[in-house]
Amino acid sequence: MSIAIRNYAFEGPFADPVSLNNKSGVYAVLTRASSTDSYTVVDIGESATMCDRVTNHDRQDSWKRCEKPAGLSYAAHYCDEMTRMSVEKTLRAKYNPPCGDR
């Protein structure tokens, strides 16, 4: 299963962040009002160990405040360190997610 976020292919979305691999890449926290609605980007970030980062993230409370009725979902774009920093910057500029100012 995959989702396109801008022009990047992300694995997911998954209902549980433990479904993310503990690899380098960019993660997206998503939400939607119902199972038939489009996803809204809640947060975008990057990490060398995505599963660990998302499951222990300091902004989880902020994500919950943005959560719509269908809940939160998580997606991952696996890539190396230089690529992940560039992708994160591009996506944060495009979506201006409500969680996580940088």
Side-chain angles (χ1 to χ4, degrees):
M1 148 171 72
S2 67
I3 185 172
I5 300 177
R6 189 145 187 220
N7 55 340
Y8 300 100
F10 278 68
E11 289 186 19
F14 304 105
D16 191 336
V18 299
S19 297
L20 302 175
N21 291 322
N22 220 16
K23 295 185 198 177
S24 173
V26 178
Y27 58 85
V29 181
L30 310 165
T31 193
R32 60 185 177 171
S34 74
S35 62
T36 59
D37 287 327
S38 297
Y39 284 97
T40 300
V41 174
V42 172
D43 202 359
I44 298 283
E46 58 83 17
S47 178
T49 53
M50 281 196 288
C51 183
D52 287 347
R53 176 68 175 138
V54 174
T55 57
N56 297 299
H57 209 290
D58 56 326
R59 291 195 299 261
Q60 288 181 3
D61 289 341
S62 182
W63 298 344
K64 290 286 185 189
R65 286 191 295 274
C66 294
E67 185 177 5
K68 293 182 181 176
L72 294 174
S73 296
Y74 309 88
H77 176 73
Y78 300 105
C79 53
D80 62 45
E81 181 178 9
M82 289 192 66
T83 303
R84 76 178 195 243
M85 290 181 180
S86 174
V87 171
E88 179 200 29
K89 182 178 179 180
T90 298
L91 293 178
R92 290 187 74 72
K94 166 71 176 164
Y95 292 100
N96 192 25
C99 298
D101 291 333
R102 286 223 172 183

Coordinates of all heavy atoms in Angstrom, one line a residue:
M1 N 0.9 -1.2 0.0 CA 0.0 0.0 0.0 C 0.9 1.2 0.0 O 1.9 1.3 0.6 CB -0.9 -0.1 1.2 CG -1.4 1.1 1.9 SD -2.6 0.7 3.2 CE -1.7 -0.1 4.4
S2 N 0.5 2.2 -0.8 CA 1.3 3.4 -0.8 C 0.4 4.7 -1.0 O -0.7 4.6 -1.5 CB 2.4 3.4 -1.9 OG 1.8 3.4 -3.2
I3 N 1.0 5.8 -0.7 CA 0.3 7.1 -0.9 C 1.3 8.1 -1.5 O 2.5 8.1 -1.1 CB -0.3 7.6 0.5 CG1 -1.1 8.8 0.3 CG2 0.8 7.8 1.5 CD1 -1.9 9.3 1.5
A4 N 0.8 8.9 -2.4 CA 1.7 10.0 -2.9 C 1.5 11.2 -2.1 O 0.3 11.7 -1.9 CB 1.3 10.2 -4.4
I5 N 2.6 11.8 -1.6 CA 2.5 13.1 -0.9 C 3.4 14.0 -1.7 O 4.6 13.7 -1.8 CB 3.0 12.9 0.5 CG1 2.1 12.0 1.3 CG2 3.0 14.3 1.2 CD1 2.5 11.7 2.7
R6 N 2.8 14.9 -2.4 CA 3.3 15.7 -3.4 C 3.8 14.8 -4.5 O 3.0 14.0 -5.0 CB 4.4 16.7 -2.9 CG 4.9 17.6 -4.0 CD 5.2 19.0 -3.5 NE 5.5 19.9 -4.6 CZ 6.4 20.7 -4.7 NH1 7.2 20.9 -3.6 NH2 6.6 21.5 -5.7
N7 N 5.0 14.7 -4.9 CA 5.5 13.8 -5.9 C 6.4 12.7 -5.3 O 7.1 12.0 -6.1 CB 6.2 14.5 -7.1 CG 7.4 15.3 -6.6 OD1 7.4 15.7 -5.4 ND2 8.3 15.7 -7.5
Y8 N 6.2 12.4 -4.1 CA 7.0 11.4 -3.4 C 6.1 10.2 -3.0 O 5.0 10.4 -2.5 CB 7.6 11.9 -2.1 CG 8.6 13.1 -2.4 CD1 8.1 14.4 -2.1 CD2 9.9 12.9 -2.8 CE1 9.0 15.5 -2.4 CE2 10.7 13.9 -3.1 CZ 10.3 15.2 -2.8 OH 11.1 16.3 -3.1
A9 N 6.6 9.0 -3.3 CA 5.8 7.8 -2.9 C 6.2 7.4 -1.5 O 7.3 7.2 -1.1 CB 6.2 6.6 -3.8
F10 N 5.2 7.3 -0.6 CA 5.3 7.0 0.8 C 4.6 5.6 1.0 O 3.6 5.3 0.4 CB 4.6 8.0 1.7 CG 5.3 9.2 2.0 CD1 5.6 10.1 1.0 CD2 5.8 9.4 3.3 CE1 6.3 11.3 1.3 CE2 6.5 10.6 3.6 CZ 6.8 11.5 2.6
E11 N 5.2 4.7 1.8 CA 4.6 3.5 2.2 C 3.6 3.8 3.2 O 3.8 4.6 4.1 CB 5.7 2.5 2.7 CG 6.6 2.0 1.6 CD 7.5 0.9 2.2 OE1 7.2 0.3 3.2 OE2 8.5 0.6 1.5
G12 N 2.4 3.2 3.2 CA 1.4 3.4 4.1 C 0.2 4.0 3.4 O 0.1 3.9 2.1
P13 N -0.7 4.7 4.0 CA -0.6 5.0 5.5 C -1.0 3.8 6.3 O -1.8 2.9 6.0 CB -1.6 6.1 5.6 CG -2.5 6.0 4.5 CD -1.8 5.4 3.4
F14 N -0.4 3.8 7.5 CA -0.6 2.7 8.5 C -1.3 3.3 9.7 O -1.0 4.4 10.1 CB 0.7 2.1 8.9 CG 1.6 1.6 7.8 CD1 2.7 2.3 7.4 CD2 1.2 0.4 7.2 CE1 3.5 1.8 6.3 CE2 2.0 -0.1 6.2 CZ 3.1 0.6 5.7
A15 N -2.2 2.5 10.3 CA -2.9 3.0 11.5 C -2.0 3.0 12.8 O -2.2 3.7 13.7 CB -4.1 2.1 11.8
D16 N -0.9 2.2 12.7 CA -0.1 2.1 13.9 C 1.4 2.4 13.5 O 1.9 1.9 12.5 CB -0.1 0.6 14.4 CG 0.6 0.4 15.7 OD1 1.4 1.2 16.1 OD2 0.2 -0.5 16.4
P17 N 2.0 3.3 14.2 CA 3.4 3.7 13.8 C 4.4 2.6 13.9 O 5.4 2.7 13.3 CB 3.7 4.9 14.8 CG 2.8 4.7 15.9 CD 1.6 4.1 15.4
V18 N 4.1 1.6 14.6 CA 5.1 0.4 14.7 C 5.2 -0.3 13.3 O 6.1 -1.1 13.1 CB 4.8 -0.5 15.8 CG1 4.9 0.2 17.2 CG2 3.5 -1.2 15.7
S19 N 4.3 0.0 12.4 CA 4.3 -0.5 11.1 C 5.4 0.1 10.2 O 5.8 -0.4 9.2 CB 3.0 -0.4 10.3 OG 2.0 -1.1 11.0
L20 N 6.0 1.2 10.7 CA 7.1 1.9 10.0 C 8.4 1.1 10.3 O 8.6 0.6 11.4 CB 7.3 3.3 10.5 CG 6.1 4.3 10.4 CD1 6.4 5.6 11.0 CD2 5.7 4.4 8.9
N21 N 9.2 1.0 9.2 CA 10.5 0.4 9.4 C 11.4 1.3 10.2 O 11.3 2.6 10.1 CB 11.1 0.0 8.1 CG 10.4 -1.1 7.4 OD1 10.0 -2.0 8.1 ND2 10.3 -1.0 6.1
N22 N 12.4 0.8 10.9 CA 13.3 1.6 11.7 C 14.5 2.0 10.8 O 15.6 1.6 11.1 CB 13.7 0.9 12.9 CG 13.8 1.9 14.1 OD1 13.3 3.0 14.0 ND2 14.5 1.5 15.1
K23 N 14.2 2.7 9.7 CA 15.2 3.1 8.7 C 15.2 4.6 8.5 O 14.3 5.3 9.0 CB 14.8 2.5 7.3 CG 14.9 1.0 7.2 CD 14.6 0.6 5.7 CE 14.2 -0.7 5.5 NZ 13.9 -1.0 4.1
S24 N 16.2 5.0 7.8 CA 16.3 6.4 7.4 C 15.2 6.9 6.5 O 14.9 6.2 5.5 CB 17.7 6.7 6.8 OG 17.8 8.0 6.4
G25 N 14.6 8.1 6.7 CA 13.7 8.6 5.8 C 12.8 9.7 6.4 O 13.1 10.3 7.4
V26 N 11.7 10.0 5.6 CA 10.8 11.1 6.0 C 9.5 10.4 6.4 O 9.0 9.5 5.7 CB 10.6 12.0 4.8 CG1 9.5 13.1 5.2 CG2 11.9 12.6 4.4
Y27 N 8.9 10.8 7.5 CA 7.6 10.3 7.9 C 6.6 11.4 7.8 O 6.9 12.6 7.9 CB 7.7 9.8 9.4 CG 8.1 10.8 10.4 CD1 7.1 11.7 11.0 CD2 9.4 10.9 10.8 CE1 7.5 12.6 11.9 CE2 9.8 11.8 11.7 CZ 8.8 12.7 12.3 OH 9.2 13.6 13.2
A28 N 5.3 11.0 7.6 CA 4.2 11.9 7.5 C 3.2 11.4 8.5 O 2.9 10.2 8.6 CB 3.6 11.9 6.1
V29 N 2.6 12.3 9.3 CA 1.5 12.0 10.2 C 0.3 12.6 9.5 O 0.3 13.8 9.2 CB 1.7 12.6 11.6 CG1 0.6 12.3 12.5 CG2 3.0 12.1 12.2
L30 N -0.7 11.8 9.3 CA -1.9 12.1 8.5 C -3.2 11.9 9.3 O -3.2 11.1 10.3 CB -1.9 11.3 7.2 CG -0.7 11.2 6.4 CD1 -0.7 10.1 5.4 CD2 -0.4 12.5 5.7
T31 N -4.2 12.6 8.9 CA -5.5 12.4 9.5 C -6.6 12.6 8.4 O -6.3 13.2 7.4 CB -5.8 13.2 10.7 OG1 -6.9 12.8 11.4 CG2 -5.9 14.7 10.4
R32 N -7.8 12.1 8.7 CA -8.9 12.4 7.8 C -10.2 12.2 8.6 O -10.3 11.5 9.6 CB -8.9 11.5 6.5 CG -8.9 10.1 6.8 CD -8.8 9.3 5.5 NE -8.7 7.9 5.6 CZ -8.8 7.0 4.7 NH1 -8.8 7.5 3.4 NH2 -8.7 5.8 4.9
A33 N -11.3 12.9 8.1 CA -12.6 12.9 8.8 C -13.3 11.5 8.7 O -13.9 11.1 9.6 CB -13.5 14.0 8.2
S34 N -13.2 10.9 7.5 CA -13.8 9.5 7.4 C -12.9 8.7 6.4 O -12.0 9.2 5.8 CB -15.2 9.7 6.8 OG -15.1 10.0 5.4
S35 N -13.2 7.4 6.3 CA -12.4 6.5 5.5 C -12.5 6.9 4.0 O -11.7 6.4 3.2 CB -12.8 5.1 5.8 OG -14.2 4.9 5.4
T36 N -13.5 7.7 3.6 CA -13.6 8.0 2.2 C -13.1 9.4 1.9 O -13.0 9.8 0.7 CB -15.1 8.0 1.8 OG1 -15.9 8.9 2.6 CG2 -15.6 6.6 1.9
D37 N -12.6 10.2 2.9 CA -12.1 11.5 2.7 C -10.6 11.5 2.4 O -9.9 10.5 2.7 CB -12.3 12.4 3.9 CG -13.8 12.8 4.1 OD1 -14.4 13.0 3.1 OD2 -14.2 12.9 5.3
S38 N -10.1 12.5 1.8 CA -8.7 12.7 1.6 C -7.9 12.9 2.9 O -8.5 13.4 3.9 CB -8.4 13.9 0.7 OG -9.0 13.7 -0.6
Y39 N -6.7 12.6 2.9 CA -5.8 12.8 4.1 C -5.4 14.2 4.2 O -5.2 14.9 3.2 CB -4.6 11.9 4.1 CG -4.9 10.5 4.4 CD1 -5.0 9.5 3.4 CD2 -4.9 10.0 5.7 CE1 -5.3 8.2 3.7 CE2 -5.2 8.7 6.0 CZ -5.3 7.8 5.0 OH -5.6 6.5 5.3
T40 N -5.2 14.7 5.4 CA -4.6 16.0 5.7 C -3.3 15.8 6.4 O -3.2 14.9 7.3 CB -5.6 16.8 6.7 OG1 -6.8 17.0 6.0 CG2 -5.0 18.1 7.0
V41 N -2.3 16.5 6.0 CA -1.0 16.4 6.7 C -1.0 17.1 8.0 O -1.3 18.3 8.1 CB 0.1 17.0 5.8 CG1 1.5 16.9 6.5 CG2 0.2 16.2 4.4
V42 N -0.7 16.4 9.1 CA -0.6 16.9 10.4 C 0.8 17.3 10.7 O 1.1 18.3 11.4 CB -1.1 15.9 11.4 CG1 -0.9 16.3 12.9 CG2 -2.6 15.6 11.2
D43 N 1.8 16.5 10.3 CA 3.2 16.7 10.6 C 4.0 16.0 9.6 O 3.6 15.0 9.0 CB 3.6 16.3 12.0 CG 4.8 17.0 12.6 OD1 5.4 17.8 11.9 OD2 5.2 16.7 13.7
I44 N 5.2 16.5 9.3 CA 6.2 15.9 8.5 C 7.6 16.0 9.3 O 7.8 17.0 9.9 CB 6.4 16.7 7.2 CG1 5.2 16.7 6.3 CG2 7.6 16.2 6.4 CD1 4.9 15.4 5.6
G45 N 8.3 14.9 9.2 CA 9.6 14.9 9.9 C 10.6 14.0 9.2 O 10.2 13.2 8.3
E46 N 11.8 14.0 9.7 CA 12.8 13.1 9.2 C 13.6 12.4 10.3 O 13.7 13.0 11.4 CB 13.7 13.8 8.2 CG 14.5 15.0 8.8 CD 15.8 14.6 9.5 OE1 16.3 13.5 9.4 OE2 16.2 15.5 10.3
S47 N 14.1 11.2 10.1 CA 14.8 10.6 11.1 C 15.7 9.4 10.5 O 15.3 8.9 9.5 CB 13.9 10.0 12.2 OG 14.6 9.2 13.2
A48 N 16.7 9.1 11.2 CA 17.5 7.9 10.8 C 16.8 6.6 11.2 O 17.1 5.6 10.7 CB 18.9 8.0 11.4
T49 N 16.0 6.7 12.3 CA 15.3 5.6 12.8 C 13.8 5.9 13.0 O 13.3 6.3 14.0 CB 15.9 5.1 14.1 OG1 15.9 6.2 15.0 CG2 17.3 4.6 14.0
M50 N 13.0 5.9 11.9 CA 11.7 6.4 11.8 C 10.7 5.8 12.8 O 10.0 6.5 13.5 CB 11.1 6.3 10.4 CG 11.6 7.5 9.6 SD 10.6 7.7 8.1 CE 11.1 6.3 7.2
C51 N 10.7 4.5 13.0 CA 9.8 3.9 13.9 C 10.0 4.4 15.3 O 9.1 4.8 16.0 CB 9.8 2.3 13.8 SG 8.6 1.5 14.9
D52 N 11.3 4.3 15.7 CA 11.6 4.8 17.1 C 11.2 6.3 17.3 O 10.6 6.7 18.3 CB 13.1 4.7 17.4 CG 13.6 3.3 17.6 OD1 12.7 2.4 17.8 OD2 14.8 3.0 17.6
R53 N 11.5 7.1 16.3 CA 11.2 8.5 16.4 C 9.7 8.8 16.5 O 9.3 9.5 17.4 CB 11.8 9.3 15.1 CG 11.4 10.8 15.1 CD 12.1 11.5 16.2 NE 11.9 12.9 16.1 CZ 11.6 13.7 17.1 NH1 11.6 13.3 18.3 NH2 11.5 15.0 16.9
V54 N 8.9 8.2 15.7 CA 7.5 8.4 15.7 C 6.8 7.9 16.9 O 6.0 8.5 17.5 CB 6.8 7.9 14.4 CG1 5.3 8.0 14.4 CG2 7.4 8.6 13.2
T55 N 7.2 6.7 17.3 CA 6.5 6.1 18.5 C 6.9 6.8 19.8 O 6.2 6.6 20.8 CB 6.9 4.6 18.6 OG1 8.3 4.4 18.7 CG2 6.2 3.8 17.5
N56 N 8.0 7.5 19.8 CA 8.5 8.2 21.0 C 8.5 9.7 20.8 O 9.2 10.4 21.5 CB 9.9 7.7 21.4 CG 9.9 6.3 21.7 OD1 9.3 5.8 22.7 ND2 10.6 5.5 21.0
H57 N 7.7 10.2 19.9 CA 7.8 11.6 19.5 C 7.3 12.6 20.6 O 6.3 12.3 21.2 CB 7.0 11.8 18.2 CG 7.6 13.0 17.4 ND1 7.5 14.3 17.7 CD2 8.3 12.9 16.2 CE1 8.1 15.0 16.8 NE2 8.6 14.2 15.9
D58 N 8.0 13.7 20.7 CA 7.5 14.7 21.7 C 6.3 15.5 21.3 O 5.7 16.2 22.1 CB 8.7 15.6 22.0 CG 9.3 16.3 20.8 OD1 9.3 15.7 19.7 OD2 9.7 17.5 21.0
R59 N 5.9 15.4 20.0 CA 4.7 16.1 19.5 C 3.5 15.3 19.4 O 2.5 15.7 18.8 CB 5.0 16.8 18.2 CG 6.0 17.9 18.2 CD 6.1 18.8 17.0 NE 6.5 18.1 15.8 CZ 7.7 18.0 15.2 NH1 8.7 18.7 15.8 NH2 7.9 17.4 14.1
Q60 N 3.5 14.1 20.0 CA 2.3 13.2 19.9 C 1.0 13.9 20.5 O -0.1 13.8 19.9 CB 2.5 11.9 20.7 CG 3.5 11.0 19.9 CD 3.7 9.7 20.6 OE1 3.1 9.4 21.7 NE2 4.5 8.8 20.1
D61 N 1.1 14.7 21.5 CA 0.0 15.4 22.1 C -0.5 16.4 21.0 O -1.8 16.6 20.9 CB 0.3 16.1 23.4 CG 0.5 15.2 24.5 OD1 0.1 14.0 24.4 OD2 1.2 15.6 25.5
S62 N 0.3 17.1 20.4 CA -0.1 18.0 19.3 C -0.8 17.3 18.2 O -1.8 17.8 17.6 CB 1.2 18.8 18.8 OG 0.8 19.7 17.8
W63 N -0.3 16.1 17.8 CA -0.9 15.3 16.7 C -2.3 15.0 17.1 O -3.3 15.1 16.3 CB -0.1 14.1 16.5 CG 1.3 14.2 16.0 CD1 1.8 15.4 15.5 CD2 2.3 13.2 16.0 NE1 3.1 15.1 15.1 CE2 3.4 13.8 15.4 CE3 2.3 11.9 16.3 CZ2 4.6 13.1 15.2 CZ3 3.5 11.2 16.2 CH2 4.6 11.8 15.6
K64 N -2.5 14.6 18.4 CA -3.8 14.2 18.9 C -4.8 15.4 18.8 O -6.0 15.2 18.5 CB -3.7 13.7 20.3 CG -3.1 12.3 20.4 CD -4.0 11.3 20.0 CE -3.3 9.9 20.2 NZ -4.1 8.9 19.5
R65 N -4.3 16.6 19.1 CA -5.2 17.8 19.0 C -5.7 18.0 17.6 O -6.7 18.6 17.4 CB -4.5 19.0 19.6 CG -4.4 19.0 21.1 CD -3.9 20.3 21.7 NE -2.6 20.7 21.3 CZ -1.5 20.3 21.9 NH1 -1.6 19.5 23.0 NH2 -0.3 20.7 21.5
C66 N -4.9 17.6 16.6 CA -5.3 17.8 15.2 C -6.0 16.6 14.6 O -6.5 16.7 13.5 CB -4.0 18.0 14.4 SG -3.2 19.6 14.7
E67 N -6.2 15.6 15.4 CA -6.8 14.3 14.9 C -8.2 14.5 14.5 O -9.0 15.1 15.3 CB -6.6 13.3 16.0 CG -7.1 11.9 15.6 CD -6.9 10.9 16.6 OE1 -6.4 11.2 17.7 OE2 -7.2 9.7 16.4
K68 N -8.6 14.0 13.4 CA -10.0 14.0 12.9 C -10.7 12.7 13.2 O -10.0 11.7 13.7 CB -10.1 14.3 11.4 CG -9.6 15.7 11.1 CD -9.7 16.0 9.6 CE -9.3 17.5 9.3 NZ -9.3 17.7 7.9
P69 N -12.0 12.5 13.1 CA -12.7 11.3 13.5 C -12.1 10.0 13.0 O -12.2 9.0 13.7 CB -14.1 11.5 13.0 CG -14.3 13.0 13.1 CD -12.9 13.5 12.6
A70 N -11.5 9.9 11.8 CA -11.0 8.6 11.3 C -9.6 8.3 11.9 O -9.1 7.2 11.6 CB -10.9 8.7 9.8
G71 N -9.1 9.2 12.8 CA -7.8 8.9 13.5 C -6.6 9.3 12.7 O -6.6 9.9 11.7
L72 N -5.5 9.0 13.4 CA -4.2 9.3 12.8 C -3.6 8.2 12.0 O -3.9 7.0 12.3 CB -3.2 9.7 13.9 CG -3.4 10.9 14.7 CD1 -2.4 11.0 15.9 CD2 -3.4 12.2 13.9
S73 N -2.9 8.5 11.0 CA -2.2 7.4 10.2 C -0.8 7.9 10.0 O -0.4 9.1 10.1 CB -2.9 7.3 8.8 OG -4.2 6.8 9.0
Y74 N 0.1 7.0 9.6 CA 1.5 7.2 9.5 C 2.0 6.7 8.1 O 1.7 5.6 7.8 CB 2.3 6.6 10.6 CG 1.7 7.0 12.0 CD1 0.6 6.2 12.5 CD2 2.1 8.1 12.6 CE1 0.0 6.6 13.7 CE2 1.5 8.5 13.8 CZ 0.4 7.8 14.3 OH -0.2 8.1 15.5
A75 N 2.9 7.4 7.5 CA 3.4 7.0 6.2 C 4.9 7.3 6.2 O 5.4 8.2 6.9 CB 2.7 7.7 5.0
A76 N 5.7 6.5 5.3 CA 7.1 6.7 5.3 C 7.7 6.7 3.9 O 7.3 5.9 3.1 CB 7.8 5.5 6.1
H77 N 8.6 7.6 3.7 CA 9.4 7.6 2.4 C 10.8 7.3 2.8 O 11.5 8.2 3.5 CB 9.3 9.0 1.8 CG 10.1 9.2 0.6 ND1 9.8 8.6 -0.6 CD2 11.2 9.9 0.4 CE1 10.7 9.0 -1.5 NE2 11.6 9.7 -0.9
Y78 N 11.3 6.1 2.5 CA 12.6 5.7 2.9 C 13.7 6.3 2.0 O 13.6 6.1 0.8 CB 12.7 4.2 3.0 CG 11.7 3.6 4.0 CD1 10.6 3.0 3.6 CD2 11.9 3.7 5.4 CE1 9.6 2.5 4.5 CE2 11.0 3.3 6.3 CZ 9.9 2.6 5.8 OH 9.0 2.2 6.7
C79 N 14.7 6.9 2.6 CA 15.8 7.5 1.8 C 17.0 7.8 2.7 O 16.9 7.7 3.9 CB 15.3 8.8 1.1 SG 14.5 10.0 2.2
D80 N 18.1 8.2 2.1 CA 19.3 8.5 2.8 C 19.2 9.8 3.5 O 18.3 10.6 3.3 CB 20.6 8.4 1.9 CG 20.5 9.4 0.8 OD1 20.2 10.6 1.0 OD2 20.9 9.0 -0.3
E81 N 20.2 10.1 4.3 CA 20.2 11.3 5.2 C 20.1 12.6 4.4 O 19.2 13.5 4.7 CB 21.4 11.4 6.1 CG 21.4 12.6 7.0 CD 22.6 12.7 7.9 OE1 23.6 11.8 7.7 OE2 22.6 13.5 8.8
M82 N 20.9 12.8 3.3 CA 20.8 14.0 2.6 C 19.5 14.2 1.9 O 18.9 15.3 1.9 CB 22.0 14.1 1.6 CG 23.3 14.3 2.2 SD 24.6 14.7 1.1 CE 24.1 16.3 0.5
T83 N 19.0 13.1 1.3 CA 17.7 13.2 0.6 C 16.6 13.4 1.6 O 15.7 14.3 1.3 CB 17.4 11.8 -0.1 OG1 18.5 11.6 -1.0 CG2 16.1 11.9 -0.9
R84 N 16.6 12.8 2.8 CA 15.5 13.0 3.7 C 15.4 14.4 4.2 O 14.3 15.0 4.4 CB 15.5 12.0 4.9 CG 16.6 12.3 5.9 CD 16.5 11.2 7.0 NE 17.2 11.7 8.2 CZ 18.3 11.1 8.7 NH1 18.8 10.0 8.2 NH2 18.9 11.6 9.7
M85 N 16.5 15.1 4.4 CA 16.5 16.5 4.8 C 15.9 17.4 3.8 O 15.1 18.3 4.1 CB 17.9 16.9 5.3 CG 18.3 16.2 6.5 SD 19.9 16.8 7.1 CE 20.1 15.8 8.5
S86 N 16.2 17.1 2.5 CA 15.7 17.9 1.4 C 14.2 17.7 1.2 O 13.4 18.6 1.0 CB 16.5 17.5 0.1 OG 15.9 18.2 -1.0
V87 N 13.8 16.4 1.3 CA 12.4 16.1 1.1 C 11.6 16.7 2.2 O 10.5 17.3 2.0 CB 12.2 14.5 1.0 CG1 10.7 14.2 1.1 CG2 12.8 14.0 -0.2
E88 N 12.0 16.6 3.5 CA 11.3 17.1 4.6 C 11.1 18.6 4.4 O 10.0 19.2 4.6 CB 12.1 16.9 5.9 CG 11.3 17.5 7.1 CD 12.2 17.7 8.3 OE1 13.4 17.9 8.2 OE2 11.7 17.8 9.4
K89 N 12.2 19.3 4.0 CA 12.1 20.8 3.8 C 11.1 21.1 2.8 O 10.3 22.0 2.9 CB 13.5 21.3 3.5 CG 13.5 22.8 3.3 CD 15.0 23.3 3.0 CE 15.0 24.8 2.8 NZ 16.3 25.3 2.5
T90 N 11.1 20.4 1.7 CA 10.2 20.6 0.5 C 8.7 20.4 1.0 O 7.9 21.3 0.7 CB 10.5 19.7 -0.6 OG1 11.8 20.0 -1.1 CG2 9.5 19.9 -1.8
L91 N 8.5 19.3 1.7 CA 7.1 19.0 2.1 C 6.6 19.9 3.2 O 5.4 20.3 3.2 CB 7.0 17.5 2.5 CG 7.2 16.5 1.4 CD1 7.2 15.1 1.9 CD2 6.2 16.7 0.3
R92 N 7.5 20.3 4.1 CA 7.0 21.2 5.2 C 6.7 22.6 4.6 O 5.7 23.2 5.0 CB 8.1 21.4 6.2 CG 8.3 20.1 7.1 CD 9.2 20.3 8.2 NE 8.6 21.1 9.3 CZ 7.6 20.7 10.1 NH1 7.2 19.5 10.0 NH2 7.2 21.5 11.0
A93 N 7.4 23.0 3.6 CA 7.1 24.3 2.9 C 5.8 24.2 2.1 O 5.0 25.1 2.1 CB 8.3 24.7 1.9
K94 N 5.6 23.1 1.5 CA 4.3 22.9 0.7 C 3.1 22.8 1.6 O 2.1 23.4 1.3 CB 4.5 21.6 -0.2 CG 3.2 21.1 -0.8 CD 2.7 22.0 -1.9 CE 1.5 21.3 -2.6 NZ 0.7 22.2 -3.3
Y95 N 3.1 22.0 2.6 CA 2.0 21.7 3.4 C 1.8 22.5 4.7 O 0.7 22.6 5.3 CB 1.9 20.2 3.8 CG 1.7 19.3 2.6 CD1 2.7 18.7 1.9 CD2 0.4 19.2 2.0 CE1 2.5 17.9 0.8 CE2 0.2 18.4 0.9 CZ 1.3 17.8 0.3 OH 1.0 17.0 -0.8
N96 N 2.9 23.1 5.1 CA 2.8 24.0 6.3 C 2.1 23.2 7.4 O 1.0 23.7 7.9 CB 2.2 25.3 6.1 CG 2.4 26.3 7.2 OD1 3.4 26.1 8.0 ND2 1.5 27.3 7.3
P97 N 2.5 22.0 7.9 CA 1.8 21.3 8.8 C 1.5 22.0 10.1 O 2.4 22.7 10.6 CB 2.6 20.0 9.0 CG 4.0 20.4 8.5 CD 3.8 21.5 7.6
P98 N 0.4 21.8 10.7 CA 0.0 22.5 12.0 C 0.9 22.1 13.2 O 0.9 22.8 14.2 CB -1.4 22.2 12.2 CG -1.6 20.9 11.5 CD -0.7 20.9 10.3
C99 N 1.6 21.0 13.1 CA 2.4 20.5 14.2 C 3.9 20.6 13.9 O 4.3 20.3 12.8 CB 2.1 19.1 14.6 SG 0.4 18.8 15.1
G100 N 4.6 21.1 14.8 CA 6.1 21.1 14.6 C 6.7 22.2 13.9 O 7.1 22.0 12.7
D101 N 6.7 23.4 14.4 CA 7.4 24.5 13.8 C 8.9 24.2 13.8 O 9.5 23.6 14.7 CB 7.2 25.8 14.5 CG 5.8 26.3 14.4 OD1 5.2 26.0 13.4 OD2 5.4 27.0 15.4
R102 N 9.6 24.6 12.7 CA 11.0 24.5 12.6 C 11.6 25.8 12.2 O 11.1 26.6 11.6 CB 11.4 23.5 11.5 CG 11.1 22.1 11.9 CD 12.2 21.2 11.5 NE 11.9 20.0 12.1 CZ 12.7 19.0 12.0 NH1 13.8 19.0 11.3 NH2 12.4 17.8 12.6

